[in-house]
Amino acid sequence: MDVIAFPVCSAAVIRAVPFKKSLDAETELEDKKYELLGVIRDTQRGLVTTADQRSVIEEALVSVEAFDAGEAIDLGELDGTWRLQYTSAPDVLILFESAARLPFFQVGQIFQKFECRDESNGGVVRNIVKWSIPSLLEEQEGATLLVSAKFSVVSSRNIYLQFEEIALNNINISEELQALIAPAILPRSFISFQILQFIRAFKAEFPVRNPGRTSVGGLYYLSYLDKNMLLGRAVGGGGVFVFTRAQAIVL
């Protein structure tokens, strides 16, 4: 009698197939993220783009977003500081345009800082803009504009931002201005020292309200998130955002 030999598949081989697929998907994702960062690299964070470039960038964005489609946002992973690499949002681009046009205004790094670790329904987000006035303040990071908002999770990917306050702080005056206020060749008087301390500690805060005296809000779609990249879209045509993970900022 002939003996029929059935192929034997070990458990290790069975497990290896999905594992290989997982590795392949992870490699493809990293390639797509690298491509996205490549196409936005020379755009000056979105300031200098053509219609063709914006089309290519949108395709690259969608390619990355496809890997995370349908997954609920992980607030623990969202928590932390994110550096802006690219945007098409008009309210941010106008800052870059002003800095390019006005010799007395500089815009440095822009960050989003999410505070939502151990939260399940929302948290706080702070938009941080480093800016400067050359000769008066330190280069690029002479002062900090801080726009704070509470956010709540309204669906698996959408968060609602309720803006609360605009603050101006962390003023770092230039060495030239310090020398003018308190010349290095002279002992600093109590008054000049107090002036320097006042400037450094100065903080102005303004509540964010519309003409009806209610808080200003907006819907923000978090289209992709992992440990080192965050993609977002302001709902209603407010533009797209590409962020990468940054070191923590102490405010």
Side-chain angles (χ1 to χ4, degrees):
M1 177 183 296
D2 294 335
V3 177
I4 300 175
F6 292 95
V8 178
C9 293
S10 70
V13 173
I14 294 173
R15 284 195 299 269
V17 174
F19 180 69
K20 183 177 186 302
K21 287 183 178 179
S22 176
L23 281 178
D24 290 345
E26 187 174 331
T27 300
E28 184 181 0
L29 170 58
E30 291 303 315
D31 288 344
K32 295 295 184 183
K33 288 163 59 179
Y34 183 79
E35 289 175 12
L36 172 58
L37 294 175
V39 296
I40 66 175
R41 182 174 296 121
D42 297 324
T43 67
Q44 297 182 35
R45 293 182 287 183
L47 175 63
V48 183
T49 57
T50 64
D52 287 342
Q53 280 179 305
R54 289 191 291 273
S55 178
V56 171
I57 291 168
E58 178 63 22
E59 289 180 10
L61 275 165
V62 172
S63 295
V64 175
E65 291 169 339
F67 284 87
D68 207 23
E71 295 291 328
I73 205 72
D74 182 343
L75 293 183
E77 193 156 60
L78 180 63
D79 183 87
T81 305
W82 301 86
R83 186 194 308 272
L84 180 70
Q85 301 291 349
Y86 171 86
T87 186
S88 62
D91 54 346
V92 180
L93 291 180
I94 194 171
L95 293 176
F96 300 152
E97 291 166 358
S98 298
R101 197 168 57 246
L102 304 173
F104 55 83
F105 180 57
Q106 292 179 340
V107 176
Q109 297 296 332
I110 296 178
F111 303 91
Q112 274 193 339
K113 179 179 171 64
F114 284 89
E115 300 169 7
C116 50
R117 188 175 299 279
D118 301 323
E119 299 290 341
S120 58
N121 296 314
V124 174
V125 59
R126 306 186 194 279
N127 295 301
I128 304 164
V129 181
K130 301 288 187 177
W131 63 279
S132 183
I133 300 174
S135 298
L136 295 180
L137 303 177
E138 288 186 0
E139 291 286 320
Q140 300 296 326
E141 297 191 357
T144 300
L145 179 67
L146 189 66
V147 182
S148 301
K150 288 183 178 179
F151 75 90
S152 54
V153 178
V154 296
S155 69
S156 61
R157 282 282 162 178
N158 284 301
I159 61 174
Y160 183 77
L161 305 179
Q162 186 171 354
F163 294 98
E164 295 193 317
E165 182 182 84
I166 297 175
L168 176 64
N169 60 6
N170 293 340
I171 297 177
N172 301 305
I173 62 176
S174 66
E175 292 183 2
E176 294 92 335
L177 184 56
Q178 288 188 53
L180 182 64
I181 295 172
I185 60 174
L186 297 175
R188 290 186 174 178
S189 69
F190 175 76
I191 293 176
S192 63
F193 180 77
Q194 289 293 97
I195 292 173
L196 291 174
Q197 288 296 98
F198 172 79
I199 293 172
R200 289 166 183 157
F202 176 81
K203 183 176 182 180
E205 299 176 345
F206 311 93
V208 179
R209 296 284 187 271
N210 65 21
R213 307 300 296 170
T214 58
S215 297
V216 177
L219 205 58
Y220 190 34
Y221 178 65
L222 303 175
S223 57
Y224 179 83
L225 170 68
D226 66 15
K227 62 184 180 181
N228 54 33
M229 178 173 280
L230 170 64
L231 307 181
R233 294 177 181 268
V235 177
V240 301
F241 300 84
V242 177
F243 293 93
T244 54
R245 181 79 70 176
Q247 291 185 340
I249 293 179
V250 178
L251 299 173

